[in-house]
Amino acid sequence: MDEKYRKIPAVALRGMTILPGMVAHFDVSRSKSIKALETAMMEDQMVFLVTQRNAETEEPEEKDLYTIGVIAVIKQVIKMQNNVVRVLVEGESRAYLAAIEQGEYLTAEVESLKREEELLPVEVQEAMIRGIQETFSRHCMMNPKHGKELVRQMNEITDLEKLLDYIGNNMPVGYEEKQRILEADSLQDRYETLMIILLNEINIIQIKTEFQTKVKEKVDKNQKEYILREQMKLIREELGEDNTVSEAEHYLEETQKLKAPKEVKEKLEKEIERFKSVSSNSSESAVIRGYIETILELPWNKASKDNKSLENAERILEEDHYGMEKVKERMLEFLAVRNLTKKGDSPIICLVGPPGTGKTSIARSVARALDKKYVRISLGGVRDEAEIRGHRKTYVGAMPGRIANGLKNAGVKNPLMLLDEIDKISSDYKGDTASALLEVLDSEQNSRFRDHYVELPLDLSEVLFIATANSLQGIPKPLLDRMEIIEVSSYTENEKAHIAKEHLIAKQMEKNGLKKKQLSISERALEKLIHGYTREAGVRNLERKIGEICRKAAREIYQKDKKGIKVTENNLEKLLGKEKYNFDLINETDEIGIVRGLAWTSVGGDTLQIEVNIMPGKGEFQLTGQLGDVMKESAKAGISYIRSVSEQYQIDKEFFQEWDIHIHIPEGAVPKDGPSAGITMATAMLSAITKRKVRKDVAMTGEITLRGRVLPIGGLKEKILAAKNAGIKTVCVPKKNEADVAEIAQEIKKGLEIVFVENMEQVLAAALV
């Protein structure tokens, strides 16, 4: 080995550089480094400290280390926890790394670098000292980490080399910068390197300070605003107005997000500005708040997407309801038109029929079939116009009307809206409810429906309106004119049996916790149940009776551990008691003065037995059985007709002065009215007067005129159904009702002879024996 080189234990430093004259401590954890320290301690306590180029390298080789390091004296070694050694060293002199040997520890072959005496002129040295001192002082002033003591000690040093070492050791810079200082050979080089680093640091500190000043100004401004806001908040809290501003901001955010026309947003912004300026304690604040929230909740431009599949709609409608073909057909037509035109006005439909026939439930089913939101508005008993249009918001407790509220609840502008019991609306001194509905149900006007509360036009043109009614009599003509009427007629016994089997039995079994195998109802039992225990147009009572059977079955199964209950024709009486209804079956013999009439009631059709007696008297004419005015007038028209044709039927001229005629229609407690019993009463009177018998199996319905013409009547399906149930064979129907008869299902007409009559001669020909 060359004499100028010496071998010495070496430690590779990570992320730090030690300069000559610098006292520093660092932790050592690598086993090679610890072994090198131990070897140095056993020898002359001298160690070579060289910095790694990359601090991440775990096993550094010669290429991973800088070529200039420092020979240092180990002052102290302390063993710490987890095999870490803390060592205190003092840098002695710079050294050049010639080679490195790997072994148990790193051994460095180094050449000590003695700085040659530089003969710099005294003035140059003084200039350098003053220059570096001033620059470092500036740096210390800008960097608060350096204390005044550091500057004082620096000012006391007069030797240039010592001064450079002192400043180099106290510079808060990274190991790469310190390595540059260590690698500088001459005083001139070290001075220049140090000055460049110092000036660069001063520049960085200046830029940093400028940034900090700008940030501080912003922060101070924000801080000031925050303090002012807090003060305002405190003042508002003291006045009880703390929530108003935050609420107003929240409303503004919601307004920005709202999908609505421009005029709606402008109105909202205006109201929010008013809300800000109003004291939260005043009643006006609550009014404005309520109004803003209502407007924000309304679905202005928000619509749901309809299901366009006709197959899906048809499947759902068939699943949910048996029969009701017209309603289903109309809905599928609407969907087909909507699919073809991509728009198409939503129809406004009114379902008219007796209670319990499924009008309300089919509306829910239509909503499901079309994937529409469903809103039900019950109009039964509503008598205030404000219920529909809303109250003006200036009133205390003002609210939007039921239509606007329905839209709000649906959350979309194209729901299905069911106007239930539209025939039950009434009016009083506060306004006419039916007239308020005119605008809602007019497809030409309802695209800009104005609710008194909302004050902005609401678009109802995409709402599918379905109204329900039991009778058209209570609905004003202008309102009726705006709706498409679909009649939902009474069910036949066969239809009721289908509905019970397909829907009601399963529904009630599920409601009463019965499994499929635990209850069975035979066909004959079901027929008996429908025929003898219920008398109605719909199926509500039938469902109740099925529910009663299910409850009794549930008790039997639970208490007596039965596996299942079978309901037959024989044990039905045991479950439900005696039969409640007996149909007025046809008389056993043909009789004089007794004719079977047909009537329509709100719960379906019925037969009326009209009785006429004649007695010697003074020609008086009596009507009993709680008859209405129209019915009495029909009887009078009938008797006038008979008198006009008395010669034709060989009636004595004196008869009408010497005999009293009494017409009675049982049941006496039940009110009866309408013109449709006209021909029946005329036939009964003529039979009684002429002593001719009337066929027992004939029933009839029709209005009579003075000249004996027969005029059309309504409710034919129910009437013919009642005739069939009573065992009638022949039914006389006005000729002008022929089209209505054609629409009646063949199932109902089967076994009946329907005679179309235009005048009383034809009626009498069919009825009298």
Side-chain angles (χ1 to χ4, degrees):
M1 188 183 76
D2 199 324
E3 281 183 17
K4 67 178 181 179
Y5 294 111
R6 60 185 277 205
K7 281 193 174 179
I8 185 169
V11 172
L13 299 177
R14 290 199 273 199
M16 70 181 293
T17 300
I18 290 170
L19 300 172
M22 183 176 170
V23 176
H25 60 75
F26 54 87
D27 292 347
V28 177
S29 59
R30 285 189 287 209
S31 55
K32 282 189 177 183
S33 301
I34 293 168
K35 190 71 179 164
L37 291 170
E38 285 171 356
T39 307
M41 288 300 286
M42 285 190 283
E43 292 174 4
D44 55 358
Q45 294 183 1
M46 302 300 274
V47 68
F48 179 64
L49 302 175
V50 64
T51 305
Q52 286 181 205
R53 292 180 189 275
N54 183 359
E56 301 299 318
T57 311
E58 276 299 322
E59 295 289 335
E61 294 176 14
E62 193 172 334
K63 67 177 189 304
D64 300 321
L65 303 169
Y66 284 108
T67 50
I68 306 291
V70 69
I71 295 168
V73 182
I74 299 169
K75 296 284 189 184
Q76 188 182 34
V77 176
I78 302 167
K79 286 202 171 181
M80 312 283 285
Q81 289 178 338
N82 303 327
N83 296 326
V84 174
V85 172
R86 184 163 288 171
V87 58
L88 183 72
V89 296
E90 184 181 358
E92 285 274 301
S93 60
R94 293 161 70 246
Y96 167 73
L97 177 64
I100 194 105
E101 288 176 18
Q102 302 276 359
E104 276 187 86
Y105 58 90
L106 295 178
T107 306
E109 201 172 303
V110 299
E111 177 192 355
S112 192
L113 298 171
K114 294 281 187 210
R115 285 204 176 87
E116 294 173 15
E117 286 296 319
E118 288 185 59
L119 297 170
L120 287 169
V122 178
E123 307 90 77
V124 173
Q125 285 196 27
E126 187 61 32
M128 283 181 169
I129 289 168
R130 285 186 190 178
I132 199 89
Q133 280 177 337
E134 281 172 15
T135 308
F136 190 63
S137 294
R138 268 175 66 204
H139 180 268
C140 287
M141 280 170 69
M142 294 172 85
N143 193 340
K145 287 181 183 175
H146 296 315
K148 290 179 183 176
E149 187 61 26
L150 193 69
V151 179
R152 191 184 61 74
Q153 286 178 2
M154 176 200 68
N155 288 334
E156 287 174 1
I157 301 168
T158 53
D159 181 67
L160 179 60
E161 192 169 347
K162 283 183 181 176
L163 182 63
L164 294 176
D165 283 343
Y166 180 81
I167 291 171
N169 288 332
N170 287 293
M171 280 282 290
V173 289
Y175 73 93
E176 292 100 335
E177 305 295 340
K178 289 201 174 181
Q179 187 67 33
R180 278 171 61 202
I181 297 167
L182 184 65
E183 288 178 0
D185 285 334
S186 62
L187 270 176
Q188 183 88 24
D189 286 349
R190 283 171 73 199
Y191 172 78
E192 285 172 6
T193 305
L194 206 51
M195 278 299 269
I196 289 166
I197 292 167
L198 265 175
L199 290 167
N200 193 36
E201 281 295 309
I202 287 166
N203 263 345
I204 290 167
I205 291 170
Q206 274 178 337
I207 293 164
K208 184 178 126 190
T209 308
E210 278 174 28
F211 274 127
Q212 278 179 335
T213 307
K214 283 178 185 172
V215 170
K216 190 171 181 295
E217 280 173 11
K218 279 188 182 174
V219 168
D220 285 351
K221 188 185 174 190
N222 289 343
Q223 197 74 13
K224 185 182 173 186
E225 284 176 5
Y226 172 75
I227 290 163
L228 288 170
R229 276 203 189 94
E230 286 298 306
Q231 285 174 343
M232 273 174 72
K233 192 176 168 187
L234 205 65
I235 292 163
R236 284 185 181 279
E237 276 177 13
E238 287 296 315
L239 293 171
E241 299 174 8
D242 52 329
N243 293 327
T244 310
V245 175
S246 59
E247 275 187 348
E249 285 168 3
H250 169 68
Y251 291 149
L252 274 170
E253 278 175 32
E254 292 297 312
T255 304
Q256 299 306 319
K257 291 181 201 166
L258 189 68
K259 289 181 182 174
K262 194 180 172 186
E263 62 177 315
V264 174
K265 291 196 174 188
E266 282 172 2
K267 174 83 172 166
L268 263 172
E269 283 161 9
K270 193 175 161 188
E271 288 294 328
I272 292 165
E273 284 306 312
R274 276 185 64 205
F275 178 64
K276 279 182 185 174
S277 61
V278 171
S279 162
S280 63
N281 283 346
S282 74
S283 59
E284 197 179 349
S285 169
V287 171
I288 299 170
R289 184 189 282 111
Y291 179 73
I292 292 168
E293 284 172 1
T294 302
I295 301 296
L296 286 170
E297 284 170 10
L298 281 168
W300 296 99
N301 288 344
K302 190 180 170 191
S304 62
K305 201 173 179 187
D306 290 357
N307 189 330
K308 293 183 177 179
S309 167
L310 256 76
E311 291 75 21
N312 174 64
E314 194 168 2
R315 180 181 58 77
I316 290 171
L317 292 171
E318 290 296 341
E319 257 175 35
D320 290 356
H321 290 82
Y322 178 83
M324 304 186 95
E325 302 305 329
K326 280 189 185 174
V327 186
K328 292 175 184 175
E329 205 176 295
R330 183 64 186 87
M331 285 304 127
L332 295 172
E333 285 167 7
F334 156 67
L335 195 55
V337 171
R338 171 67 58 93
N339 289 353
L340 282 174
T341 61
K342 302 287 182 272
K343 181 77 180 74
D345 288 336
S346 293
I348 295 163
I349 290 166
C350 182
L351 306 177
V352 182
T357 47
K359 300 182 295 296
T360 305
S361 62
I362 190 117
R364 196 182 298 113
S365 183
V366 167
R368 192 163 78 89
L370 303 181
D371 266 358
K372 280 185 176 290
K373 296 277 183 189
Y374 172 74
V375 181
R376 179 175 168 270
I377 296 170
S378 180
L379 296 175
V382 171
R383 62 177 191 277
D384 185 358
E385 176 230 11
E387 292 271 348
I388 306 299
R389 283 183 175 278
H391 305 80
R392 302 216 177 269
K393 69 172 190 282
T394 48
Y395 296 119
V396 175
M399 287 166 66
R402 293 198 183 198
I403 305 292
N405 225 18
L407 278 182
K408 189 172 90 172
N409 294 341
V412 289
K413 68 171 183 171
N414 60 339
L416 182 146
M417 208 171 267
L418 175 71
L419 305 174
D420 217 1
E421 312 291 1
I422 199 166
D423 57 331
K424 310 290 190 300
I425 53 175
S426 54
S427 54
D428 65 0
Y429 66 93
K430 291 179 184 172
D432 185 3
T433 321
S435 302
L437 278 171
L438 292 178
E439 186 187 357
V440 175
L441 298 180
D442 190 337
S443 54
E444 297 298 319
Q445 298 175 38
N446 67 6
S447 58
R448 292 186 72 77
F449 168 70
R450 277 188 181 270
D451 185 278
H452 288 328
Y453 181 84
V454 176
E455 293 178 350
L456 291 160
L458 286 166
D459 184 6
L460 303 179
S461 63
E462 289 184 49
V463 177
L464 171 53
F465 285 106
I466 296 183
T468 71
N470 294 134
S471 161
L472 296 178
Q473 262 109 34
I475 306 173
K477 283 284 181 287
L479 187 57
L480 204 56
D481 185 50
R482 281 161 167 77
M483 299 187 288
E484 195 178 320
I485 309 297
I486 296 179
E487 287 202 17
V488 180
S489 51
S490 313
Y491 293 122
T492 64
E493 288 191 1
N494 185 26
E495 282 173 332
K496 286 182 186 178
H498 275 291
I499 292 164
K501 279 187 278 189
E502 291 174 25
H503 303 285
L504 305 182
I505 295 173
K507 181 181 168 186
Q508 285 299 327
M509 282 174 71
E510 189 185 340
K511 218 180 225 181
N512 292 288
L514 295 174
K515 294 187 178 71
K516 206 172 182 181
K517 292 176 184 173
Q518 290 178 321
L519 177 70
S520 67
I521 300 174
S522 73
E523 294 262 349
R524 297 295 297 276
L526 195 56
E527 282 172 26
K528 189 176 176 183
L529 174 65
I530 293 164
H531 191 80
Y533 290 87
T534 64
R535 180 172 287 182
E536 54 176 347
V539 288
R540 282 211 184 106
N541 272 327
L542 176 60
E543 189 175 358
R544 285 190 198 107
K545 291 294 173 191
I546 293 167
E548 197 178 327
I549 292 170
C550 290
R551 289 195 298 278
K552 285 183 165 44
R555 186 180 168 190
E556 290 279 313
I557 289 163
Y558 185 73
Q559 275 192 333
K560 298 179 184 175
D561 288 335
K562 288 191 176 179
K563 287 276 190 294
I565 302 289
K566 283 187 179 176
V567 180
T568 63
E569 194 181 4
N570 301 326
N571 67 359
L572 188 65
E573 200 169 298
K574 187 184 165 192
L575 290 166
L576 296 178
K578 294 275 183 196
E579 285 186 41
K580 287 188 179 179
Y581 301 104
N582 293 310
F583 276 90
D584 291 333
L585 295 174
I586 59 172
N587 299 337
E588 290 178 14
T589 57
D590 300 337
E591 292 185 47
I592 293 168
I594 293 179
V595 185
R596 189 62 65 105
L598 299 174
W600 179 92
T601 70
S602 61
V603 290
D606 202 358
T607 61
L608 296 174
Q609 191 152 287
I610 293 174
E611 301 174 345
V612 177
N613 261 355
I614 55 165
M615 305 145 285
K618 297 175 185 176
E620 286 180 5
F621 187 58
Q622 272 185 296
L623 291 159
T624 56
Q626 214 175 335
L627 311 185
D629 290 343
V630 177
M631 205 164 190
K632 285 176 182 174
E633 285 168 7
S634 287
K636 286 171 186 171
I639 196 71
S640 295
Y641 164 71
I642 292 167
R643 288 177 76 167
S644 71
V645 294
S646 56
E647 283 181 25
Q648 195 180 324
Y649 291 97
Q650 290 90 43
I651 301 167
D652 187 18
K653 285 180 182 178
E654 308 299 319
F655 180 88
F656 296 101
Q657 280 79 40
E658 294 169 2
W659 294 84
D660 291 348
I661 299 171
H662 185 162
I663 299 178
H664 177 68
I665 305 176
E667 302 147 2
V670 180
K672 305 160 197 78
D673 204 356
S676 64
I679 63 169
T680 320
M681 290 189 286
T683 306
M685 285 189 286
L686 196 69
S687 163
I689 293 164
T690 59
K691 300 284 191 287
R692 287 177 70 181
K693 288 184 179 179
V694 179
R695 281 172 57 193
K696 63 185 179 187
D697 59 353
V698 169
M700 58 188 71
T701 180
E703 183 179 344
I704 190 170
T705 69
L706 276 177
R707 299 298 175 94
R709 285 186 299 118
V710 181
L711 301 184
I713 40 77
L716 257 181
K717 181 186 173 183
E718 285 80 4
K719 288 177 180 179
I720 289 175
L721 196 53
K724 187 171 183 179
N725 289 337
I728 300 289
K729 298 284 186 289
T730 306
V731 181
C732 295
V733 172
K735 175 85 172 158
K736 288 179 181 174
N737 282 112
E738 203 166 348
D740 300 323
V741 173
E743 284 183 16
I744 297 170
Q746 198 57 43
E747 179 200 331
I748 297 172
K749 295 186 284 189
K750 194 177 176 186
L752 283 177
E753 182 196 351
I754 294 172
V755 178
F756 293 107
V757 290
E758 287 180 283
N759 51 53
M760 276 303 295
E761 280 88 355
Q762 292 172 340
V763 176
L764 295 168
L768 297 176
V769 175

